[in-house]
Amino acid sequence: MSIVELRQYTLHPGARETLIELFEREFVAGQEAVGITLGGRFRDLDDPDRFVWLRAFPSMAGRRRALEAFYGGPVWQAHRDAANATMVDSDDVLLLRGPGFAPPAGTREVLATVCHPADAAAFDAYAARHLRPAHALHRAEHAENDFPALPVRTGEDVRVWFGPAEPAPWPVRRLRLEPV
């Protein structure tokens, strides 16, 4: 299992394609070069001003080292102003533990579910009945954020999975996503 960030950016109206083009051209290779594993990158189908993406690290210490290398390195330094100009908010980030997720080639739409179960044991029973390995189940990582320059949401016990499943009996947020 990896440390995974589920990042949901709110962008200025009409800026999503600008960010996606910059991200794909500069930030994918730049992050991979410092040991970050990039997962799915998505347009939110229900919000034209949202960009959703995942990245993974082998451990919390590995996360810190990779983020220091990327954000202190030449790729981010050269393109940060252009990226930041597209964003209203980049702090909606869940720190998770799980397998990561990238959709199979040719996938047109992905359903992601962010669930706040009231009881861990009851959730485990639900997951055993309704979720399979292909759902790429992730659980909240409660470790301290050791790279505070990039905030993460804390104090939430969430589960995140990808693909359709029977509705969970707890509060959920469903994201309909189009792979980039």
Side-chain angles (χ1 to χ4, degrees), residues 84-145:
N84 287 333
T86 67
M87 299 177 200
V88 174
D89 176 42
S90 61
D91 294 348
D92 186 353
V93 179
L94 291 171
L95 191 58
L96 306 166
R97 183 169 295 276
F101 177 79
T107 301
R108 293 172 114 41
E109 184 175 328
V110 171
L111 180 65
T113 301
V114 179
C115 178
H116 292 82
D119 176 86
F123 180 83
D124 289 345
Y126 165 84
R129 284 191 311 277
H130 302 293
L131 301 180
R132 303 291 167 249
H135 284 104
L137 177 62
H138 293 73
R139 297 173 185 273
E141 171 58 56
H142 296 291
E144 181 179 343
N145 178 14

Side-chain angles (χ1 to χ4, degrees), residues 25-31 33 69-70 72-80:
R25 186 183 75 233
E26 302 294 343
F27 297 150
V28 171
Q31 290 182 80
F70 178 73
V75 173
W76 179 249
Q77 297 302 312
H79 302 286
R80 70 179 177 196

Side-chain angles (χ1 to χ4, degrees), residues 37-50:
T37 301
L38 273 285
R41 297 172 302 280
F42 306 97
R43 293 171 182 91
D44 184 324
L45 290 170
D46 295 316
D47 186 341
D49 301 319
R50 300 272 295 173

